[in-house]
């Protein structure tokens, strides 16, 4: 009994929270009776929950909303904490309440009174419950027989901002930072609050507000900027989001004037203890430190002959008394590799550096591991380090910002990629050990675990530059909450909350999103080869862009073939980092999945794929088809024009036009490169330059 | 009867004018009797001449120098203008005096009195005469029987600074601008005067002080910065150097607020007339405008459907009443070319754009034409536009700054390259029509003609970063004065004036300089192919760096062969821009010189060169040999260590070490690229990756 409706997102600022807007002409008659909230506000998070619900109902019903501590009429919406609210304890039975964990919630509609009860064990749970209810209502769902319990699957659901204090955003494609400008924290707290709302609405509970590359000025977030950091923490706290800071490992030297940052030096340890104490004095519920150390020219324990455990534990010790944690990134590799050296393999680096340290990290350290062994390419195998350290907390790192996937100028809905990674069976404890069970902590029983991801937002009015990139931020939060949600479900939720659910709009956008990753992959880097991009900025095709660089990203294309031999038999031995069945699968070209063939093997252009095509013909075909499909995305979007406002339409249409054009550039450069290199003509005689 | 001596250039600031330094311990006994100057100073240029001579003599003789209006004792050095100085008219006979042109001079030693007379028709000539005399003395030459007349071969001997007002120098490799910083003219007038001295000492008589890419702030050099420009003009005036400004074609809009910059619009013409009038009020001997229009995104007459003659003449008209000239650059091409389009050929562009306009330019317009058709590559054919417009003033543009020739981190003495270009026979008026005779104006009888070149200096203490790059600045000036000087002569002069003339130092540095261009070419871009460099900054190897770019610089390498077919029979038709014998020579691979083969022809890797080697083996051999030779340059330099001061030695040694290392990177990247592409092994089995 769902209704058909459209939202008009306009400039995109409201994103998927448009139910707040009262003037969008989609008031749903079925909800008009819900304009009465019963709640006794205990803290700022519950205050946010009540405010969101009140604003949301106003938007959805078009009526003013009353809030009382006790029920005065029915139907109403009851909010409360189990054991603290009699009304909730009466409305939701004890068995259901027991099923609700710390951040979870239950929602039940009383069939007689039609009252909707939202109960939780914490005010954070209540906030999530309110957002969930609003999501149901905002998506036109039925409210009359709700009966559900939700608990987040992952304890940590984190966002990493790569924002610099000069206002730039590393790998940011949606304007400047909303947090910083001119080496100060911005005064635009309203915008930051709206970001907190967006994040909380899809379940995010942690944020590191500054770039992992921490330079001199950002180091001072720990010291002179603390009062302003505290203001940001207050905003995020009211949306149940813990604030973290990325720190500079050399801070004891750069800020403290010490001659060393050696993690075993007592004055260094003391410096960090004092730093932690100061931070917690300003921000009592501070989350902890995010650390990029000994990576890409950042300082770290290696300088002093110490290992990563020494480095991380020193910080963990400083944070421990306050319940803080250290999130230590595993993105460590030799970024000054000699391209002539074929034995060093960047893909091996994280595993080689960290695996041996299993068991040496304190229990408030979490290793943050990128989803793949290289760097957020459109296609990589799963990092073999995930799950390979049973006695160490781990979390997975995704990249929402589309660094290598079109930079928010091309559409690339990344949830399907993330799903594939999460569902990958590591076989680490036999068949049925998928990444998602490692990441949520259940396989090894880790106290801390979860998701981190690099944000894709900036100060563009619509947050993400490309409006369809909002689906990635939304989808990331939803997937962190529940990795069992399907890509289609998440896309469906987002489309409905953003544009409404009318056909053909809904189906068209659903198809566009669901096909977008495959399309982007098809006209860019073939068969898992990766890094065929322009150096530095990483936008656009450049097959040899990284071939002779020090970054460890090569494809070794010659006139005979292409790919990296990472086998254990004849190559770099990277395959040996996987558990048995995966190792065997990747070791042989006969069993290696086509889409990762060139990641694991160097093969002739005439090598036949499982698809029956040769490698070279696959390259030609996918690139011709990909560019055609990119063009069809634009044509598809034209068909939704009449179902939304002009600005919302135009924002996407302009980018799709650029994508269609740029996909041709990809097609022609990649095909020309391989034709010139291999000398093998396209079977179908299409134009190659 | 020359003596053997060494200079110790120290930090390099004095460059080749070290005779001024009294403490270098090379006082030459033979000159100690010359400490008396006889001159009647008439203007600031003559003042400079007398000052330079006086300082120079002090340095050379170690004695104080007296200056009087009349001769009081012998021997003395007499300076004077013919017809204005009786002493000079007596010392130098009328026939000799008649042979001296406007900027020339005569020097004669009286065998009885041993007086040296320097006579000229202008004070500028006198200044050049003084510098010439000092050069002879500073190089340890004999002064006792001088009898010579020198006249500059080229009327215009110009330097183009590519300095921006923010203090950066486009394609500058020796620090920041000495002219500008923080969008102001610098106050360091002493340094600018020393630059004027360096330039005048080798014969330069014109300078454009700002980059040809003129942005908003530089446009205002014409207006609000005029008082400071006048101060710079005053400095250069005292060294007989005319000051020019590069102008922004859109100035009437950007500065004047007009709605157009259309050259036929009367308000635009009026704006420029007024601008010229203001400039000449501030700088009465202002040289004129240097213009980059309709090139690489700079504005120009094309915007208004006008041609370059319309554009240039409008400016020429404004300058004409004051004797000013317009120097209009011919570096015009499509910089947004589609790489897929093989018919458009950037090499053709200057000729195609300008040739047809012959006869339409006013007589105070000069077209400034780059030496080659592309852009200052290590090897290019001569631009076919040079000499192809008999009724139009032309000057040649060289690049002293080593943009594509090692960026002053590699040594590359460019005089041999320039000589080869100047000596190239265009055959435009039959055999014996070399470029140098076109450029000096004699072939077509042009009122204006000459040399321009992009400066290689910055605020590094030694001016040019690489001390050996000073030889290029010096050599450029000397060659502009007299293109008949040999590369060896010029190198010899420079070495002697900079380091002295002792062996083995002299011979070693001479060999290093004379071989350096060939060495650089050998390990970089083979056989005239060009542009195998990293995009944007142009330093270091990148074979495909420009292959798919919009800049029109391609080599079309595939698994079979490489090169650009620019023939008339089957290619772009570029060869047809040359006169008969050259056209025929370039048209066939059989007659095309090896070093330009890939510029004119696309050939298989197995194509045999005149040397007997195949193209691919030539690539391998030259790259292996080039890297070895680069290493030997460093070894050679070690052998001069004991003959100079430590700082002078170290400045060069550090750069040679970098060159030796970087040459290996060139070798390996180029060889690996072509081995991977061709699949053809090195005959000698050396290591290719």
């Amino acid at each position: 009994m769902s209704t058909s409706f459209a939202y008009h997102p306009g400039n995109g600022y409201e994103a998927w929270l448009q139910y707040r807007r009262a003037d969008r002409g989609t008031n749903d008659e079925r909800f008009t009776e819900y304009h009465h909230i019963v709640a006794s506000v205990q803290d700022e998070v519950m205050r946010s929950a009540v405010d969101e619900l009140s604003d949301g109902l106003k938007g959805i019903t078009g009526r003013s909303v009353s809030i009382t501590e006790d029920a005065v009429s029915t139907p109403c919406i009851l909010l409360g904490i189990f054991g603290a609210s009699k009304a909730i304890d009466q409305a939701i039975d004890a068995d259901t309440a027991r099923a609700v964990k710390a951040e979870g919630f239950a929602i039940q509609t009383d069939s007689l009174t039609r009252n909707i009860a939202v109960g939780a064990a914490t005010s954070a749970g209540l906030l999530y419950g309110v957002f969930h209810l609003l999501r149901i209502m905002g998506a036109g769902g039925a409210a009359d027989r709700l009966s559900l319990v939700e608990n987040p699957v992952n304890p940590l659901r984190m966002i990493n901002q790569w924002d610099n204090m000069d206002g730039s955003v590393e790998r940011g494609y949606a304007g400047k930072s909303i947090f910083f400008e001119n080496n100060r924290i911005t005064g635009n707290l309203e915008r930051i609050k709206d970001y907190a709302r967006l994040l909380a609405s899809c379940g995010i509970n942690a944020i590191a507000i500054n770039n992992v590359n921490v330079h001199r000025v950002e180091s001072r977030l720990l010291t002179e900027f603390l009062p302003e950091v505290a203001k940001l923490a207050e905003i995020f706290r009211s949306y149940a989001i813990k604030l973290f800071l990325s720190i500079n490992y050399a801070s004891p030297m750069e800020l403290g004037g010490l001659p060393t940052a050696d993690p075993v030096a007592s004055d260094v340890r003391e410096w960090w203890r004092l730093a932690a104490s100061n931070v917690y004095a300003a921000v009592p519920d501070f989350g902890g430190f995010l650390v990029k150390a000994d990576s890409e020219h950042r300082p770290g324990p290696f300088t002093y002959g110490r290992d990563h455990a020494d480095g991380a534990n020193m910080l963990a010790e400083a944070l421990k008394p306050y319940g803080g944690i250290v999130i230590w990134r595993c993105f460590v590799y030799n970024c000054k590799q000699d391209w002539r050296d074929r034995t060093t393999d960047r893909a091996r680096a994280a595993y080689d550096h960290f695996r041996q340290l299993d068991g040496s990290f304190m229990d408030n350290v979490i290793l943050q591991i990128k989803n793949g062994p290289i760097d957020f390419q459109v296609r990589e195998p799963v990092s073999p380090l995930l799950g390979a350290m049973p006695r160490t907390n781990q979390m997975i790192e995704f990249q929402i910002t589309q660094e290598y996937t079109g930079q928010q100028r091309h559409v690339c809905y990344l949830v399907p990629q993330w799903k594939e990674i999460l569902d990958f069976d590591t076989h680490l404890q036999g068949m049925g050990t998928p990444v998602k069970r490692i990441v949520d902590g259940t396989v090894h029983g880790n106290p801390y675990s979860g998701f981190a991801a690099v944000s894709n937002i900036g100060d563009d009015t619509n947050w993400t530059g490309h409006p369809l990139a909002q689906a990635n931020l939304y989808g990331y939060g939803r997937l962190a909450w529940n990795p069992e949600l399907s890509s289609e479900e998440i896309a469906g939720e987002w489309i409905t909350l953003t544009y409404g659910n009318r056909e053909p709009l809904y189906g068209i956008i659903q198809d566009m999103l669901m096909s977008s990753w495959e399309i982007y992959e098809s006209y860019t880097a073939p068969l898992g080869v990766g890094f065929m991009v322009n150096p530095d900025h990483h936008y656009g095709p450049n097959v040899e862009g990284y071939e002779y660089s020090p970054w460890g990203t090569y494809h070794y294309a010659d006139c005979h073939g292409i790919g990296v031999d990472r086998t254990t038999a004849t190559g770099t031995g990277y395959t040996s980092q996987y558990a048995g069945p995966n190792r065997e699968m990747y070791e042989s070209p006969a069993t290696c999945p086509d889409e990762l063939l060139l990641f694991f093997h160097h093969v002739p252009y005439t090598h036949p794929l499982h698809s029956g095509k040769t490698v070279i013909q696959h390259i030609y075909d996918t690139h011709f088809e990909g560019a055609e499909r990119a063009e069809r995305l634009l044509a598809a979007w034209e068909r939704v024009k009449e179902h939304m406002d002009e600005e919302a339409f135009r924002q996407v249409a302009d980018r799709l036009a650029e994508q269609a054009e740029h996909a041709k550039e990809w097609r022609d450069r990649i095909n020309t490169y391989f034709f010139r290199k291999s000398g093998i003509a396209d079977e179908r005689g299409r134009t190659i330059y």
Side-chain angles (χ1 to χ4, degrees), chain A:
Chain A
M1 58 168 276
S2 76
T3 57
S4 163
F5 60 89
Y7 287 120
H8 294 298
N11 65 17
Y13 185 81
E14 301 281 333
W16 55 86
L17 297 185
Q18 292 183 77
Y19 55 74
R20 282 184 101 213
R21 298 175 68 206
D23 59 347
R24 75 210 129 71
T26 57
N27 298 334
D28 192 321
E29 291 299 323
R30 291 169 311 148
F31 299 128
T32 49
E33 60 184 359
Y34 291 107
H35 51 88
H36 183 200
I37 300 170
V38 179
S40 170
V41 172
Q42 307 295 324
D43 63 17
E44 66 268 58
V45 176
M46 201 157 161
R47 165 57 53 208
S48 298
V50 171
D51 287 352
E52 288 293 327
L53 184 58
S54 167
D55 284 358
L57 288 178
K58 259 184 240 165
I60 290 166
T61 66
R63 296 183 62 166
S64 65
V65 174
S66 66
I67 305 165
T68 59
E69 296 227 344
D70 297 303
V72 290
S73 67
T74 56
C76 65
I77 299 180
L78 302 160
L79 304 185
I81 306 291
F82 297 127
S85 160
K86 275 198 185 145
I88 285 297
D89 289 341
Q90 283 167 359
I92 298 176
D93 65 274
D95 280 353
T96 303
R98 264 192 297 278
V100 174
K101 304 286 169 12
E103 294 180 296
F105 57 84
I107 304 180
Q108 282 200 324
T109 312
D110 185 291
S111 55
L112 288 175
T113 60
R114 297 193 311 284
N115 286 348
I116 301 172
V118 183
T122 63
S123 52
L126 211 56
L127 179 68
Y128 297 131
V130 160
F131 275 122
H132 195 76
L133 178 60
L134 287 170
R135 180 157 46 232
I136 291 169
M137 289 177 149
D144 54 357
R145 61 188 90 171
L146 293 172
S147 176
L148 60 90
V149 170
E150 287 255 343
N151 288 301
V153 172
N154 290 286
L156 263 166
R157 305 178 301 280
M158 187 168 190
I159 285 285
N160 291 179
Q161 298 296 135
W162 281 1
D163 295 33
N164 301 312
M165 287 194 70
D166 65 3
S168 64
V169 180
E170 185 167 327
R171 311 308 176 188
Y173 311 107
K176 308 289 268 178
S177 173
I178 65 166
F179 291 94
F180 309 111
E181 63 185 347
N182 297 325
N183 295 321
R184 308 287 307 173
I185 291 175
T186 65
N188 195 350
L189 302 182
E190 202 53 43
R191 174 116 203 199
I192 293 170
K193 182 186 165 190
D194 281 333
Y195 186 41
R197 294 179 55 244
L198 287 173
L199 295 181
S201 75
C202 56
I204 300 299
N205 67 355
I207 187 167
I209 58 168
N210 64 306
N211 188 2
V212 291
N213 292 316
V214 184
H215 300 289
R216 194 165 280 267
V217 59
E218 291 88 4
S219 304
R220 284 147 52 198
L221 288 169
L222 274 187
T223 52
E224 65 177 272
F225 294 118
L226 260 184
E228 283 162 294
V229 169
K231 281 187 206 155
L232 299 186
E234 194 183 329
I235 294 172
F236 284 109
R237 179 184 303 118
S238 69
Y239 281 88
I241 297 168
K242 279 205 179 195
L243 186 140
F244 289 68
L245 290 175
S246 298
I247 59 100
N248 174 355
Y249 203 81
S251 290
M253 300 167 75
E254 292 187 19
L255 298 182
L258 299 185
T260 177
D262 185 344
V264 309
S266 59
D267 49 355
V268 173
R269 301 173 84 87
E270 183 53 33
W271 192 92
W272 282 111
R273 269 194 292 271
L274 195 63
S277 152
N278 290 336
V279 173
Y280 279 93
V283 185
D285 61 345
F286 180 70
F289 296 149
L290 173 60
V291 194
K292 175 175 181 177
D294 286 317
S295 168
E296 295 179 340
H297 315 297
R298 302 310 306 153
F302 284 180
T303 309
Y304 310 100
R306 315 298 174 190
D307 65 25
H308 288 283
D310 297 326
N313 291 343
M314 184 261 297
L315 296 171
E317 218 171 73
L319 295 169
K320 184 96 182 173
Y322 312 97
I325 59 178
V326 172
I327 301 177
W328 191 268
R329 293 175 89 237
C330 296
F331 185 57
V332 176
Y333 66 98
N334 177 5
C335 67
K336 291 179 179 171
Q337 188 175 332
D338 188 333
W339 59 268
R340 302 167 186 83
D341 163 23
R342 286 209 189 195
T343 61
T344 303
D345 180 4
R346 172 168 164 180
R348 293 187 56 128
Y351 188 98
D352 284 348
H353 274 108
F354 284 91
R355 173 86 199 302
Q356 61 197 336
L357 299 175
D358 188 29
S360 348
F361 290 95
M362 282 177 58
D363 64 1
N364 62 331
V365 173
I366 312 181
L367 299 184
Q368 181 167 306
I369 302 167
K370 286 194 179 183
N371 62 261
I374 303 280
D375 191 16
F376 299 136
Q377 299 302 292
V378 68
R379 176 79 64 174
E380 288 184 46
V382 164
S383 170
L385 187 59
L386 285 162
M389 300 175 70
R391 293 174 295 155
T392 308
N393 299 316
Q394 292 190 334
M395 63 197 294
I396 195 169
E397 179 177 340
F398 294 117
Q399 194 184 43
I400 313 176
T401 193
Q402 292 171 234
E403 180 176 358
Y404 296 98
T405 50
Q407 302 198 353
Q408 283 136 260
R409 294 155 80 174
H410 297 229
V411 55
C412 190
Y413 176 56
L414 290 166
V415 175
Q417 186 201 52
W418 300 333
K419 287 284 292 181
E420 201 169 285
I421 291 157
L422 293 166
D423 290 342
F424 178 77
D425 193 345
T426 65
H427 289 273
L428 283 170
Q429 295 196 350
M431 200 159 85
T433 319
V435 168
K436 61 189 171 191
R437 289 290 85 81
I438 289 160
V439 164
D440 69 16
T442 54
V443 167
H444 300 308
N446 304 114
Y448 294 105
S449 66
F451 281 35
V454 185
S455 172
N456 65 346
I457 70 112
D459 73 353
D460 279 2
T461 306
N462 69 12
W463 302 92
T464 53
H466 200 314
L468 299 183
Q470 290 182 351
N472 286 326
L473 182 59
Y474 179 84
Y476 167 73
R478 296 289 290 140
L479 208 58
W481 181 275
N482 182 11
E484 302 306 323
L485 291 172
S486 73
S487 301
E488 292 84 349
E489 277 176 282
I490 293 173
E493 285 180 7
W494 179 80
I495 295 164
T496 306
L497 294 167
T498 306
Y499 298 109
N501 63 358
R502 294 217 180 110
E503 293 294 356
L505 172 144
Y506 180 92
I508 288 172
I509 303 181
Q510 177 85 287
D511 286 349
M512 289 174 67
L513 290 177
M514 289 306 298
S515 61
S516 60
W517 175 40
E518 186 180 289
I519 292 174
Y520 191 80
E521 181 179 23
S522 70
Y523 60 73
T524 56
L527 303 166
V529 77
F531 262 99
M532 289 182 170
V533 292
N534 285 306
D536 306 329
H537 63 73
H538 299 162
Y539 188 72
N542 191 336
V543 182
E544 301 230 331
Y546 276 90
E547 192 56 21
Y548 302 92
S549 81
W551 296 98
T553 48
Y554 315 114
H555 53 60
Y556 304 121
D558 63 17
C559 57
H560 310 296
I562 182 172
V564 186
D565 184 352
R566 292 192 161 103
T567 64
T568 305
T570 57
T572 68
Y574 168 73
T575 55
S576 69
Q577 296 183 344
Y578 289 93
N582 289 332
R583 180 167 56 234
E584 284 160 29
M585 171 176 68
Y586 291 139
E587 182 73 10
S588 162
T591 50
C592 181
D594 282 353
E595 69 270 17
L596 286 171
L597 181 68
L598 303 182
F599 191 92
F600 285 101
H601 299 278
H602 187 93
V603 299
Y605 294 114
T606 52
H607 175 89
L609 298 171
H610 297 116
S611 68
K613 289 181 183 173
T614 60
V615 165
I616 190 75
Q617 195 57 39
H618 171 93
I619 293 172
Y620 296 151
D621 287 351
T622 51
H623 284 78
F624 281 113
E625 287 158 19
E628 278 166 30
R629 291 176 74 189
E631 199 144 36
R632 287 204 295 271
L633 288 174
L634 179 59
W637 189 253
E638 295 285 345
R639 292 174 52 218
V640 305
K641 184 169 187 171
E642 60 185 303
H643 302 286
M644 67 179 68
D645 64 276
E646 173 62 20
E647 186 175 1
F649 172 78
R650 180 55 50 204
Q651 283 190 0
V652 174
D654 287 349
R655 281 174 177 75
L656 289 174
E658 176 179 349
Q659 177 177 0
E661 200 52 37
H662 199 226
K664 288 183 207 155
E665 185 69 19
W666 270 100
R667 173 195 69 194
D668 291 339
R669 283 185 61 165
I670 302 290
N671 284 345
T672 300
Y673 177 92
F674 285 105
F675 173 60
R676 288 189 187 172
K677 200 128 201 176
S678 69
I680 300 171
D682 172 37
E683 282 173 2
R684 295 169 54 188
R686 291 164 291 195
T687 304
I688 297 179
Y689 298 89

